[in-house]
Each structure stands twice: as C-alpha cells, then as structure tokens.
Amino acid sequence: MTGGFLTLFEKEVMRFWKVSFQTVAAPVLSALLFLVIFSHALAGRVEAYPGVGYVQFLVPGLAMMSMLQNAFANASSSLIQSKITGNIVFILLAPLTPADLFAAYLAAAMVRAVVVGAGVVLAVAWLVPVPFPNLLWLAAFTVTGAGILGVLGIVAGLWAEKFDQLAAFQNFLILPLTFLAGVFYSVDSLPPFWRAASHLNPFFYAIDGFRYAFFGRADVSPWASLAIASATLCALSWLTLRLLRSGYKLRH
Amino acid sequence: MASPAVEVRDVSKRYGPLRALDGVSLSVEQGEFFALLGPNGAGKTTLISALGGLVRADAGTLRVLGRDVAAEYREARRLLGIVPQEVVFDPFFSVRETLELQSGYFGLRGNGAWIGELLERLSLGAKADANMRSLSGGMKRRVMLAQALVHRPPVIILDEPTAGVDVELRQALWRFMRELNAAGHTIVLTTHYLEEAQHLCGRIAMMKTGRIVALDSTRRLLADFSERVLRVKLESGALPAALAAGATVDAAGWHRIPVESAAQVETALARLREAGAAVAHLEVAEPELEEVFVKIMARQDAPAREDA
C-alpha cells in the first residue's frame, strides 16, 4: 500500500459525503418505509423467534440489506462514473498499485455501509425497541457483509461499460440475492427447497449473523456464517485483485 | 551517459486487425522540446498512452528516464506528467481539491505551496474554490495541465494541448512550456498547429499509420523538405530562361522561384528587369513545416530517417 491509497480513500468518502442526501438519507428513508409497510401488513404474524416480535426481527435485516446495497452502490457507481466521464485517467496515470485501488474503493464502500447502517438502526430505534447488540459480532458481520458487496461493486464497476449494464448487474444479481437472503423472514419458515436454496446465497449468512448480534438467535450458527462470509470475501477479493493487476477494462 | 528522457524501442500495439503502433522506436534526450506530429489515427495518442501505462504495448519496451513503464511503473509515473487530449474532470470537486487529490495520489501531502504557485501561474487563482463544472473549456484544460505538473515531473507530455484553445491562452501556454523547458524539463507535445511545432521544437518525429516516418531536427527537416521561394505575379512580359528552369507556375499565374538567400532574390529581380518583365505582386516565403509535413505524408512507405 502506498501513500496514494489514503488520498484515494478520502476522495471516495468525500464523493459520497458531498451528496449524502442521496447516498445516506435516501437509503435510510427507504429502510424506514419498508419497516412501516411490512410491520403494518404483517404485525399480526407469529414471532420469528420466541420473544422476538416480527417488527423487531425486521430491523437488523433491513439495516444489513441497506448496508449491502450501499456498499455495492458506492464502489460500482464511482468506478463507472469515472470510466464514462473519463476522469479515471488521473487515477491510472498516478503511481497507485492495484492493491491501493482495491483497498481504497473497498474501504470507502464499507464506510458508506456503516454510515447508512447506523442511520437505519438509529432511525428505527425511535419506533421499535431493539436490544443493544453484541458489538463483536456486529463488527464481524458488518465487515464481511459490506466487504463482500464492496468487492462485488468493484467487479461490477470494472466490468460494466454503460450504466444499463451496471443496472442489470444490480437488478438481476444483487437485488434478488439481498431480498432473498432472509431480510423479511426467517428462512427456517420456508419450504425445504427454498430453505436449501437460501443456504447457497452468501448474503444470507451476512444477514443471519448480523441478526445474531442483536438477538443471540439465528437460523445458522454465527461461527458457520462468519466462516462462509469470510471465505466468500477472501475468494472475491483474490479474484478482484487479479482483475485489477491484469488491467481488466482499465488499461487496454 | 544520462538516460534518455523517453526511450521507445520496437513498440507494437494491435487492436484487432488495426496496427495502432507498428514497431515504433524513438528516443528523446533530457531537456529537449520535442514534437510528435502526424495525421489523426497515426498512433500518437496510443504511444503517449503506452508511456503513461494507460495502454499496454504488445511488444517492445518503453522507458522514462531509464525506468521501464511496465516493470517499474511507479517510478516511471512519478517522472512523467501527461496532459490527456480530451478535456475530462471530476464534477464532485473544486479546482483546489482536484489538485490536492492529484498530489495525494502521488503520495504528496502538504503540497499547497506548489499548488498555489501553479494556480497563480495558470491564472486559476480566482477560480481555486469553484467547482470544476463551472469552469470554461479553456480553464478546464489549464487545470489538467496543473494536474500533470502537480508532482513536478521532469518529463512532460502534452497531447494536443492547444486544440480548441483561444489565441491568448495558447500563447500563455507556450510561454509557460518554454519556461519549464528552460528550467530543465523535457517537453514532448503533439499538435496539428505545425507553425507551433516549427517555432518551439528542436526535434520532430512524424508518424503515419503506427510508424515513425521521419525523425530529425526541425532545422534539417526544413532544409531537406522545404525551401525559401520567391513568388511573383507578372503584369507583362515573361520569366527569363535562367529563372524559368527551376520555377513552377500555378493556375493563378504566380511563379514560384526557389531562392537560397536574400542575395538571390536581388539577382532574380534584376534578371526580371533585364528581361523587361513588370512585376505586379511579389512575396518571399520562408521554409514551412507544413510543406515538410505534406511532402513526408505523401511519400509511399517512407523509410524512417535516423538521426545524423
């Protein structure tokens, strides 16, 4: 890592912070709307876990979903905007290493995820009593969950050449995987096939483990979730670093 | 011996069937003011991009002050400042932020004094805190120049810096480049304004379809491919035989008589008088790079000239 990493990281944070109304306030509002709608429609539903009401159950899932989506959005939109407007040339002409690029985009994506996640939890805490989380598990799943999506954001930003390609990546891959990761329900309540399918989705483990940090209960052991989420993050990071080293779609 | 500022050896780059660079070799010594000329699509920008690491050469080596742009890319990029041809900017930031960020990418923090000097020198001081979006095209170009100079690179490459730039800014830009050159920076530029290259650059390479087709000092290229001519239009009479031998005449009736010196102009006019010809219009044209360029580009499969 070189000194340039820090500047690129700061630039990426400044970039989303300058438009925080869209990059932070808007996702917090969306999560609140989801909460209001689902809690109103499904308030009568049985408790997800004993002693945990459905609305309470929703909170960590919505917070994590917002974190995942915003980590992805930060890295991918920054990269594609720089590519399309052409100003990525200033980064490419600088003596930054592939690891610098990787770490800077990833770290900034995680910062945005944390800001949005904290915003959702704090905003919701006014409406729903949420237990104080176990901070170690919370940090572990924040890092792995936001990390996975941050890395996927880098991959999508590198791969996409047009905004509609990025939108396709987001709508056909990221959105289904986050919505079907047990944000709105416990996957244990699903029929066996869909339960098994959910267990193939790495996002599920990030959400399930994150929920464990709040309730001390989850569908899967948090250790297993952490192991799977960490392995996914490592594998994707390795692949992405290779893409960056090869100059994939950046250095022709 | 000191490493050349830029050394390109047998560099090739293909895009599918197109040979963007076809075995290009050239070397620019430290302290030179060097022009890279050629029609659109000749490969100038590809060559510059390969030096900056934006494009990866298929074959050959490129070095900046002895540093290989692939194996030692970090050192090479620190030594090189490139001003890209297209005007690009990041709309999220102000002029000063843009320059501070660019410094930071090179690991330079607290570079405010030099940034301030660049802003001053490029008449951007009043706009330092304005968003990049609000700047005129010419100002955005100046910011790009400042971005390329923010790490004080010894080698500066400008890809058509004066395209679409007004006269005043163009002159200011060249003054600044001359000063940088006088201070020891090596300057390489591409331009379609050939009179600029003729007046500024000591040496010139011309490219065509991915190859170097001429490479020599500006003086020698002018001497070899262009000449001083006396152009006359006659009111009456005809060109005497002694002059007609080397002369040509165009459709508008202008006779073009090659002359090597001012003394020969006198001789030619004396002969016209002796022959009883009355001159209606007269002008002396100095050798022009444009003529050299046209002649070289018109040659078929022109071999590259080596430096003497």
Side-chain angles (χ1 to χ4, degrees):
Chain A
M1 223 85 85
T2 68
F5 151 76
L6 204 59
T7 304
L8 185 56
F9 165 68
E10 283 173 9
K11 177 219 150 200
E12 286 300 301
V13 172
M14 271 161 75
R15 198 192 72 91
F16 85 75
W17 193 247
K18 283 187 178 221
V19 285
S20 55
F21 200 67
Q22 341 164 4
T23 55
V24 178
V28 170
L29 179 67
S30 303
L32 276 176
L33 288 173
F34 272 122
L35 188 84
V36 169
I37 293 163
F38 278 88
S39 63
H40 183 73
L42 301 168
R45 241 178 100 118
V46 289
E47 293 177 336
Y49 302 134
V52 179
Y54 178 70
V55 181
Q56 274 187 314
F57 172 89
L58 264 182
V59 174
L62 280 174
M64 192 53 158
M65 184 181 82
S66 307
M67 288 167 71
L68 299 180
Q69 289 177 346
N70 282 279
F72 178 84
N74 206 66
S76 62
S77 66
S78 176
L79 273 168
I80 195 151
Q81 279 180 22
S82 294
K83 276 167 54 176
I84 287 178
T85 58
N87 63 45
I88 197 150
V89 72
F90 300 120
I91 289 165
L92 298 178
L93 286 172
L96 293 159
T97 64
D100 288 333
L101 296 187
F102 175 79
Y105 282 100
L106 178 58
M110 288 165 82
V111 169
R112 169 142 158 217
V114 168
V115 173
V116 170
V120 171
V121 172
L122 290 176
V124 166
W126 287 85
L127 311 168
V128 185
V130 182
F132 191 79
N134 175 318
L135 292 178
L136 283 178
W137 284 119
L138 188 84
F141 286 101
T142 297
V143 169
T144 48
I148 291 171
L149 271 290
V151 175
L152 281 174
I154 298 175
V155 173
L158 289 176
W159 167 77
E161 282 158 21
K162 295 180 284 186
F163 285 109
D164 53 328
Q165 288 175 327
L166 183 61
F169 198 102
Q170 192 153 19
N171 292 327
F172 291 97
L173 192 69
I174 303 301
L175 207 62
L177 284 177
T178 38
F179 272 22
L180 300 176
V183 173
F184 302 108
Y185 48 80
S186 161
V187 298
D188 271 353
S189 64
L190 293 175
F193 174 80
W194 289 109
R195 192 187 313 157
S198 297
H199 284 202
L200 293 176
N201 177 358
F203 299 7
F204 158 74
Y205 298 96
I207 289 175
D208 201 55
F210 193 73
R211 193 174 280 132
Y212 181 89
F214 285 85
F215 305 126
R217 295 270 333 227
D219 292 346
V220 176
S221 148
W223 292 105
S225 289
L226 186 60
I228 293 170
S230 304
T232 308
L233 176 59
C234 289
L236 284 171
S237 299
W238 178 78
L239 177 85
T240 309
L241 269 166
R242 281 197 55 170
L243 285 182
L244 284 167
R245 283 207 188 94
S246 73
Y248 176 74
K249 294 207 177 180
L250 287 180
R251 302 185 192 274
H252 302 281
Chain B
M1 204 186 111
S3 307
V6 173
E7 193 183 6
V8 177
R9 192 166 291 166
D10 301 322
V11 168
S12 294
K13 177 70 186 177
R14 274 167 170 273
Y15 292 108
L18 174 76
R19 286 167 190 253
L21 296 175
D22 191 3
V24 171
S25 296
L26 69 87
S27 150
V28 179
E29 297 306 321
Q30 290 183 34
E32 276 200 82
F33 208 131
F34 188 93
L36 193 55
L37 307 178
N40 292 323
K44 306 181 296 293
T45 298
T46 307
L47 182 59
I48 291 171
S49 300
L51 280 165
L54 302 173
V55 156
R56 291 180 168 177
D58 297 334
T61 54
L62 300 110
R63 290 175 187 276
V64 179
L65 287 165
R67 303 295 192 151
D68 188 286
V69 303
E72 302 166 280
Y73 68 92
R74 298 192 48 214
E75 292 80 0
R77 285 182 207 162
R78 283 213 182 84
L79 298 168
L80 185 61
I82 292 184
V83 185
Q85 189 180 123
E86 277 183 58
V87 174
V88 291
F89 61 98
D90 193 328
F92 282 87
F93 301 107
S94 71
V95 173
R96 195 188 299 279
E97 283 169 340
T98 298
L99 298 179
E100 281 169 353
L101 288 171
Q102 197 65 28
S103 290
Y105 297 156
F106 283 84
L108 303 169
R109 292 183 159 250
N111 198 17
W114 175 237
I115 289 175
E117 200 177 321
L118 281 172
L119 289 171
E120 203 55 41
R121 201 61 193 72
L122 291 164
S123 317
L124 288 164
K127 291 281 181 181
D129 297 308
N131 185 284
M132 288 296 299
R133 259 181 308 210
S134 68
L135 266 53
S136 69
M139 282 183 180
K140 285 184 186 128
R141 253 190 203 285
R142 275 180 272 168
V143 176
M144 287 175 65
L145 177 59
Q147 276 177 278
L149 298 178
V150 87
H151 58 293
R152 301 173 187 254
V155 182
I156 302 163
I157 303 185
L158 305 107
D159 196 355
E160 285 190 41
T162 50
V165 162
D166 68 39
V167 179
E168 204 179 332
L169 174 55
R170 203 187 307 166
Q171 287 177 347
L173 196 72
W174 292 137
R175 255 198 316 277
F176 191 31
M177 286 299 117
R178 274 206 172 105
E179 279 179 32
L180 287 169
N181 184 237
H185 294 263
T186 306
I187 308 216
V188 177
L189 64 91
T190 76
T191 180
H192 289 298
Y193 296 99
L194 297 179
E195 70 279 13
E196 286 178 355
Q198 182 175 343
H199 291 126
L200 290 163
C201 300
R203 244 168 22 110
I204 289 173
M206 293 193 189
M207 290 185 75
K208 184 183 171 188
T209 59
R211 289 161 168 269
I212 304 274
V213 291
L215 175 59
D216 211 331
S217 68
T218 311
R219 193 175 301 157
R220 277 200 49 180
L221 284 171
L222 287 168
D224 290 357
F225 291 93
S226 184
E227 55 201 354
R228 185 177 287 126
V229 290
L230 172 66
R231 299 178 73 226
V232 291
K233 202 167 182 179
L234 299 180
E235 206 169 83
S236 62
L239 224 55
L243 291 179
T248 53
V249 64
D250 69 13
W254 281 96
H255 296 274
R256 202 167 172 284
I257 307 160
V259 285
E260 272 165 24
S261 61
Q264 283 200 358
V265 176
E266 298 249 16
T267 315
L269 291 174
R271 282 186 178 152
L272 280 169
R273 252 194 324 274
E274 284 162 15
V279 174
H281 302 283
L282 170 151
E283 57 187 46
V284 179
E286 293 298 310
E288 278 186 359
L289 192 59
E290 187 157 324
E291 192 187 347
V292 178
F293 184 84
V294 170
K295 279 185 182 164
I296 286 174
M297 290 303 144
R299 290 192 300 186
Q300 290 296 314
D301 301 316
R305 286 176 55 103
E306 285 302 321
D307 270 5

